[in-house]
Amino acid sequence: MANKHPGTCPHCRKIVSPRVLGENFLRRDKCECTSCQGIVYACRTPGCGHYAKGSEAYDAEFCPACANSLSESVASVAQSILATIAAGAAAKATRKFSPAEE
């Protein structure tokens, strides 16, 4: 079968052109790293040319770099939301426990 475009293998971290083991027109092609023989799939991030790990039990959706970037983005958003909630709670507590002005 044919080879895919060059990209980073998530198993051995080398730039390889994986060999297609099984074409799939609805989902991603199952590929094998030509260096370490690990199972890989194209990363689902638009514009990314690297590969995600495949295994018997689970196939990752994103390459390690995109997965890390995504988790950092989620953590940043969560931190912003928690900071907003904390500020709102502090403001409400301040209003509740402040002496009433006459």
Side-chain angles (χ1 to χ4, degrees), residues 42-62:
C43 178
R44 289 202 186 266
T45 302
C48 180
H50 300 299
Y51 293 95
K53 284 184 179 180
S55 70
E56 294 297 322
Y58 177 75
D59 301 325
E61 299 296 322
F62 304 102

